[in-house]
Amino acid sequence: MRYHIRFIAVVLVLGLSVYGAGAASLCKPDIVGIDLIEGKSNPPGFLPPDEEKYKGNKMPEDIIVQGWHNLRQAHRPLTFVCRYKGRPNEAFILPDSTNSCELTYKGGLIFECRH
């Protein structure tokens, strides 16, 4: 139930700002990595970030930015996945109007998408 409420809140935040940007802290602090997946193919089509900057190798505090741009070219649906060690991953489907996304660390992970 908690997952569904969180998912609806994320969709509302990202979906209501059609011409602007939506920001949310989607992942919990103990992540080991993130993925952006395009389409429904098997195996999944992972999209590597086209912009990456780190100040070290400790996840997530050392992320400066990970960015994906020109996402209108990607196959839909776009799925953002938070990977954890020792527990299930969390997946979030992004709105179809999403064009770019950035993941930054500012005291917590901030995932921001623009339409």
Side-chain angles (χ1 to χ4, degrees), residues 5-6 10 14 23-24 27 31 33 40 42 47-48 55 57 69 77-78 92 95 102 109 113:
I5 292 171
R6 186 174 179 187
V10 169
L14 295 176
C27 297
I31 67 169
K40 294 183 176 183
N42 189 7
L47 289 173
K55 59 184 173 189
N57 61 3
H69 302 90
L78 290 174
F92 305 93
E102 287 186 351
L109 283 173
C113 291

Side-chain angles (χ1 to χ4, degrees), residues 30-84:
D30 61 336
I31 67 169
V32 295
I34 57 167
D35 292 314
L36 190 62
I37 301 171
E38 68 173 324
K40 294 183 176 183
S41 62
N42 189 7
F46 292 96
L47 289 173
D50 53 13
E51 177 185 15
E52 270 187 311
K53 294 179 186 168
Y54 296 93
K55 59 184 173 189
N57 61 3
K58 185 178 178 193
M59 190 70 163
E61 293 88 1
D62 288 344
I63 290 178
I64 295 172
V65 67
Q66 278 190 324
W68 296 263
H69 302 90
N70 199 21
L71 291 174
R72 289 195 177 123
Q73 305 278 332
H75 296 286
R76 300 296 188 219
L78 290 174
T79 306
F80 179 76
V81 179
C82 302
R83 291 184 285 121
Y84 301 98

